Amino acid sequence: MTSQTGKADHHWDERFLNELFQDLTNLKDAKEIQSFFNDLCTPAELRSMADRWRVAQRLEEGDSYRTINEQTGVSTTTITRVARSMTYGSKGYQTLLDKKKGKT
């Protein structure tokens, strides 16, 4: 979809993404969340998300990029992307890391 200026109109993306995020709050436990993501995502997408989450946890523990790469097989490009998100992103990784540690 394009606007009158010829640029892509991404307004619909935000609306549907916001709806998805809001609807996720209705899932009551890990089993429901897992069922939903198994239907929503491909196995490769799920593995990729799990890898990024594992990297975030390892970075939080202070592991080096090289150690994470060697021990997990996750590419240094992905590790760098996660680290950049943890530093400059929306603080989503940190929020969940803190919740997991019982900090919030």
Side-chain angles (χ1 to χ4, degrees), residues 36-92:
F36 177 76
F37 275 95
N38 282 337
D39 288 345
L40 180 68
C41 302
T42 66
E45 290 168 332
L46 289 169
R47 283 190 300 272
S48 181
M49 286 189 284
D51 282 346
R52 286 187 225 124
W53 178 236
R54 182 168 46 158
V55 166
Q57 293 175 87
R58 299 289 298 268
L59 289 169
E60 177 76 0
E61 293 169 5
D63 291 347
S64 71
Y65 291 21
R66 181 182 205 142
T67 299
I68 295 169
N69 169 261
E70 289 172 353
Q71 293 181 355
T72 67
V74 176
S75 74
T76 54
T77 301
T78 296
I79 296 166
T80 301
R81 185 180 309 126
V82 171
R84 189 178 321 117
S85 292
M86 289 177 74
T87 302
Y88 302 108
S90 301
K91 303 300 180 206

